[in-house]
Amino acid sequence: MRIEAKQLPDSSGYFEQFGGRFAPETLIPALDALNAAYEGAKHDPSFWAEFDSLSRDYSGRPTPLYFAERLTKHCGGTQIFLKREDLAHTGAHKINNALGQGLLAKRMGKRRIIAETGAGQHGVAAATVCAKLGLDCIVYMGEEDISRQPLNVFRMKLLGAEVRPVSSGSKTLKDAINEAIRDWVTNVRDTYYLLGSVVGPHPYPTMVRDFQSIIGKETKQQILEKCGRLPDYIIACVGGGSNAIGIFHPFVNDRDVKFIGVEAAGKGIKTLQHAASLVAGRVGVLHGAKSYVLQDDAGQIRETHSIAPGLDYPGVGPEHSYYKAVGRATYVAVDDNAALEAFHLLSQTEGIIPALEPAHAISYTVKMASSLPKKQIIVVNLSGRGDKDVDIVARALGVKL
Ligand SMILES: *Cc1c(COP(=O)(O)O)cnc(C)c1O
């Protein structure tokens, strides 16, 4: 009999054939130590008491589950609820993971924190938590991303972090991760690597999932209070996959709740300028784990594109690959233009300017809702707010700010 997904990964970090630990020799003891520390924290009520207390008073949790009445009407009546991660401190779900790992680093006695960032959202969350906990923070960021996201670079500096430019490869997120791993190999004794999504070698995908599961746990309680039953669908955007796993995982054994993960189709799947690893990738190894990856015929990692900076990554968390393989979740892709349309729609029907990442999930929801019975319930994870994306949207509209 198949193991229930709840008991995965196995002790080596495998979700059946996905995940594992493809890491340099020098990191294996560090990963073992991290795993042991996390297992200890996981079973220590005082660790979770501090996580819960800071989640409440610092991050602003629980975030509301909001009935989007006008969007529901617009779509023909299927009830649409939004899980408001956009209202969490720093404007997205990323704070949940940064807080959990920051507390773990402190528990391990590590005061030097390194992190990678693409557009800067995880860098800002990591820098925020390090300021709050009094830890040193170094953020690796590709030079290309630094020039595209000057505001987030400045934010990280305001928060006291050092931003280290990465000039290798395509000078974007995957190169920043490579550089962070290199730093960790060199400084492993005093350094904690605060990884930003459910990717990387074991135990990161599991640990980050557990910290983000607070989203799904709250959602379950909130939808039962509001509707007296579980939703028919949960829909979330998938970059590395952490906001999606966070809202999906607490429902994994509720078989009537269908999961839909929405990836970035960028300029179209056929153009190869996209970031849809699950929809259009092949199984391979990237950043320490086996999962779906965007690679060419020679196995080289492809350049990706999405209008949403947080979705612009050529890999995906191994647990999503497992969900895809066993059919627990369905993965689809939405392109830049459709995401932009949904961005405007949500802004104007609900007065909520979404981040471009969850605008992908909103787009798919709108398309699907029109063909569903009115009684059905959809929960969309609104992973972040759109303030960070206003420049990108203005550019797309040809507006000069
Ligand atoms: C970073 C980010 C994402 C993508 O990351 P996941 O790990 O897939 O959740 C999605 N939404 C927002 C708002 C983000 O900042």
Side-chain angles (χ1 to χ4, degrees):
M1 219 179 86
R2 190 181 289 290
I3 317 168
E4 283 289 343
K6 223 176 195 161
Q7 290 159 275
L8 290 176
D10 66 18
S11 58
S12 314
Y14 276 94
F15 302 85
E16 296 206 335
Q17 73 267 42
F18 302 106
R21 213 182 237 186
F22 297 80
E25 272 320 301
T26 40
L27 280 189
I28 300 299
L31 290 165
D32 282 339
L34 178 62
N35 193 42
Y38 178 58
E39 286 299 316
K42 199 160 96 179
H43 297 105
D44 179 354
S46 73
F47 179 80
W48 293 107
E50 193 172 9
F51 179 76
D52 289 343
S53 154
L54 288 173
S55 292
R56 187 181 62 237
D57 298 337
Y58 188 69
S59 307
R61 306 205 68 88
T63 58
L65 183 70
Y66 165 72
F67 176 52
E69 194 177 350
R70 294 194 69 224
L71 185 68
T72 293
K73 277 217 183 81
H74 174 91
C75 296
T78 298
Q79 300 170 70
I80 301 171
F81 288 83
L82 305 176
K83 179 61 172 164
R84 299 291 308 274
E85 291 303 293
D86 60 315
L87 294 177
H89 184 42
T90 71
H93 68 291
K94 286 195 169 76
I95 192 76
N96 303 323
N97 169 48
L99 184 60
Q101 288 197 59
L103 290 173
L104 187 62
K106 228 176 115 178
R107 182 182 171 99
M108 294 174 78
K110 309 233 173 182
R111 310 206 59 84
R112 181 178 182 269
I113 308 298
I114 57 171
E116 82 295 336
T117 200
Q121 292 306 110
H122 173 58
V124 169
T128 297
V129 166
C130 286
K132 196 262 165 294
L133 299 177
L135 303 168
D136 297 331
C137 185
I138 295 163
V139 181
Y140 287 94
M141 186 169 186
E143 280 179 346
E144 180 66 32
D145 289 330
I146 288 179
S147 70
R148 281 192 293 203
Q149 306 284 341
L151 205 56
N152 273 341
V153 175
F154 188 57
R155 264 192 200 112
M156 287 182 262
K157 289 179 180 167
L158 290 176
L159 291 160
E162 177 193 339
V163 179
R164 288 202 184 158
V166 175
S167 58
S168 54
S170 55
K171 308 179 174 54
T172 59
L173 176 59
K174 77 171 166 49
D175 312 292
I177 298 182
N178 289 337
E179 209 51 43
I181 292 174
R182 221 163 282 147
D183 178 316
W184 202 28
V185 169
T186 315
N187 302 298
V188 68
R189 299 188 74 211
D190 68 337
T191 299
Y192 183 96
Y193 180 20
L194 207 169
L195 193 49
S197 189
V198 285
V199 301
H202 179 63
Y204 283 104
T206 310
M207 189 169 69
V208 177
R209 173 197 75 192
D210 292 349
F211 292 135
Q212 292 292 4
S213 289
I214 193 167
I215 305 171
K217 284 182 202 148
E218 288 174 7
T219 301
K220 198 173 217 177
Q221 199 185 339
Q222 290 166 322
I223 198 75
L224 287 172
E225 276 164 19
K226 283 180 198 288
C227 298
R229 70 175 183 91
L230 298 181
D232 299 285
Y233 293 90
I234 300 178
I235 303 182
C237 64
V238 177
S242 68
N243 85 88
I245 279 290
I247 195 166
F248 291 168
H249 191 258
F251 294 87
V252 72
N253 293 326
D254 301 307
R255 293 294 158 148
D256 294 335
V257 180
K258 296 179 258 318
F259 300 159
I260 299 178
V262 185
E263 296 192 307
K267 295 183 176 162
I269 298 290
K270 286 201 191 92
T271 65
L272 296 181
Q273 293 190 65
H274 62 79
S277 319
L278 289 157
V279 167
R282 284 183 294 124
V283 176
V285 170
L286 176 66
H287 297 138
K290 194 169 175 189
S291 194
Y292 276 84
V293 178
L294 291 170
Q295 51 193 328
D296 64 19
D297 292 337
Q300 293 295 319
I301 303 304
R302 278 193 199 283
E303 300 267 314
T304 52
H305 163 81
S306 170
I307 194 165
L311 303 185
D312 202 352
Y313 178 66
V316 67
E319 196 162 6
H320 286 292
S321 293
Y322 165 73
Y323 281 6
K324 175 183 159 94
V326 299
R328 181 63 188 89
T330 308
Y331 295 92
V332 298
V334 160
D335 69 19
D336 289 354
N337 289 334
L340 271 172
E341 226 174 274
F343 175 94
H344 293 297
L345 179 66
L346 192 69
S347 300
Q348 292 171 20
T349 54
E350 295 291 348
I352 297 171
I353 299 179
L356 283 167
E357 292 86 3
H360 288 70
I362 297 288
S363 172
Y364 194 78
T365 301
V366 169
K367 203 162 72 178
M368 202 179 78
S370 57
S371 62
L372 289 178
K374 289 194 178 193
K375 280 192 312 213
Q376 301 229 312
I377 299 170
I378 302 177
V379 173
V380 186
N381 198 11
L382 194 64
S383 54
R385 63 176 184 231
D387 308 36
K388 71 182 180 66
D389 295 326
V390 165
D391 274 347
I392 299 175
V393 174
R395 224 173 301 139
L397 293 175
V399 174
K400 242 191 135 147
L401 295 180

